[in-house]
Amino acid sequence: MDIRSVAGHELIPGSVIRDYLCVDKTELRVPYILICGEYPGPTALISAGIHNAEYVGIQAAIELSCELEARCLHGNVFILPLANRSGFENRTMSTVFEDGKNLNRVFPGDPNGTVADRLAHSIFEAFIKNADAYIDLHSGDGYEALIPYAYYLGDAPAEAAARDMISCVDVKYCVRSRCRTKGAYNLASVRGVPSILIERGQLGLFSREEVEADKADVRNILRHLGILEGEGSRHPKKELLEYSDDAPYTGCWYPEKKVGQCFRKGDRLGEIRDYFGKILFTELAPDDGILLHQCSSLNIIQGGPMITYGVEIGSDSHWTDGG
Ligand SMILES: [Zn+2]
């Protein structure tokens, strides 16, 4: 894509622009960095902090924005290190502070909607539409344990290119998503931008190892795209379909498996009890699978996330969507 300007800035080869995206009719000032390569090439967008309590990607994006050098790039790298800034500064555990919405459920946004809708619209128009490839960095939320894995959207116009990108990510599993709405990378994929989402980190924590792993994955993808020099290395992985079970009750949650553990049909996965200790619900595995992420706080909320698991594509299990 031959783009000359982004968010009001002319893209001058060899330059780096640090500025804030001003979202119309809000107080939001969202930081971004445009690294304009010395040499021509494609444009990659890296976003983090769409969920503000997912710190590994936020820190990785900040460090990449300081470390990637315009003089070394064949193309451009746009970085949004903290998309949901107001959530971060008010410690909301991943919803937009002003309206309580999950930013990753409102893309491509609405210029006449609430703050989250307007923010998504601004990000989509300024950055996602101008990208040739998109990497969105996430983690488990503040209450979620999670093993590292990555998503791409199946049956999307740029599916093959997205699968190529995901082959550069150093994780054991990837999920072929069927969700075509509301998420940033999902909508980008539907619109033809090769896009992936990397999950790494959990429970409102971050470590040096995880930040370095996110950065290594992004650099590897940039090599694969030809934006950084060198060959992108490939990491074979198992492909999964993903299923989720939301909590049927509000109360106390006692998970019985760890993320990354495989389970068999009928295994106990956890219990919900009331505040007198009485069992309200027992979660039994509907089939064989692997636990990708799960609620790990004592409290659990009716209709909210409880467990998400994967089943290997091509296995002969008969799975149904867990809801
Ligand atoms: Zn997230």
Side-chain angles (χ1 to χ4, degrees):
M1 192 182 300
D2 184 23
I3 41 171
R4 303 283 163 84
S5 70
V6 163
H9 291 284
E10 190 185 350
L11 300 179
I12 299 165
S15 69
V16 179
I17 295 149
R18 293 182 165 81
D19 202 353
Y20 297 94
L21 180 70
C22 299
V23 180
D24 260 3
K25 296 181 185 147
T26 75
E27 301 291 308
L28 297 182
R29 303 288 180 269
V30 177
Y32 65 83
I33 302 94
L34 310 176
I35 308 172
C36 311
E38 187 83 44
Y39 310 100
T43 293
L45 170 64
I46 300 155
S47 65
I50 282 182
H51 293 141
N52 53 276
E54 300 177 1
Y55 299 131
V56 171
I58 295 169
Q59 183 57 25
I62 290 171
E63 292 183 19
L64 284 165
S65 77
C66 299
E67 292 167 4
L68 292 172
E69 295 181 272
R71 67 181 175 82
C72 300
L73 300 187
H74 297 251
N76 307 307
V77 178
F78 300 164
I79 301 179
L80 270 173
L82 181 55
N84 180 8
R85 179 179 171 179
S86 69
F88 188 85
E89 292 178 349
N90 290 281
R91 202 174 277 153
T92 61
M93 209 183 280
S94 290
T95 52
V96 172
F97 174 67
E98 289 82 355
D99 58 17
K101 287 186 179 175
N102 179 341
L103 183 57
N104 218 29
R105 300 290 180 273
V106 300
F107 278 90
D110 177 354
N112 300 310
T114 63
V115 170
D117 302 314
R118 289 169 192 267
L119 173 58
H121 174 78
S122 296
I123 291 171
F124 206 84
E125 292 297 311
F127 300 108
I128 293 176
K129 275 176 123 178
N130 286 316
D132 297 304
Y134 176 31
I135 306 163
D136 191 19
L137 302 176
H138 284 252
S139 311
D141 206 336
Y143 58 89
E144 276 178 330
L146 172 144
I147 54 161
Y149 64 102
Y151 291 94
Y152 72 95
L153 180 64
D155 296 320
E159 179 183 343
R163 285 172 61 104
D164 267 352
M165 289 165 66
I166 228 166
S167 73
C168 300
V169 179
D170 190 6
V171 291
K172 274 194 202 166
Y173 302 100
C174 71
V175 169
R176 176 185 169 87
S177 174
R178 295 159 290 176
C179 173
R180 309 181 71 78
T181 57
K182 298 180 180 173
Y185 98 91
N186 313 73
L187 257 295
S189 302
V190 168
R191 302 283 179 93
V193 182
S195 303
I196 65 166
L197 186 155
I198 301 174
E199 297 272 16
R200 181 178 284 114
Q202 57 177 358
L203 298 167
L205 302 169
F206 72 104
S207 67
R208 178 49 34 202
E209 292 74 22
E210 290 165 319
V211 171
E212 292 297 336
D214 260 10
K215 285 162 58 181
D217 284 342
V218 170
R219 287 176 182 278
N220 203 27
I221 294 167
L222 294 179
R223 282 193 284 274
H224 161 72
L225 295 170
I227 296 175
L228 279 177
E229 287 178 4
E231 283 287 307
S233 55
R234 306 281 177 150
H235 302 275
K237 46 187 68 68
K238 288 184 177 169
E239 283 203 38
L240 308 171
L241 290 177
E242 182 186 75
Y243 303 86
S244 293
D245 278 356
D246 290 339
Y249 296 97
T250 293
C252 298
W253 164 242
Y254 305 90
E256 296 184 23
K257 301 276 186 203
K258 289 196 162 50
V259 290
Q261 264 189 295
C262 294
F263 52 77
R264 308 290 292 183
K265 181 177 181 177
D267 281 358
R268 293 169 56 91
L269 301 183
E271 272 177 3
I272 300 174
R273 298 183 204 155
D274 68 14
Y275 307 127
F276 301 103
K278 184 178 145 226
I279 296 169
L280 298 173
F281 173 75
T282 302
E283 170 76 349
L284 300 176
D287 216 320
D288 303 352
I290 176 168
L291 203 52
L292 293 173
H293 61 89
Q294 70 177 345
C295 178
S296 291
S297 59
L298 178 60
N299 78 313
I300 198 159
I301 299 169
Q302 185 177 34
M306 183 170 65
I307 62 161
T308 294
Y309 52 96
V311 60
E312 202 171 333
I313 291 175
S315 85
D316 52 9
S317 296
H318 299 289
W319 293 77
T320 54
D321 273 88

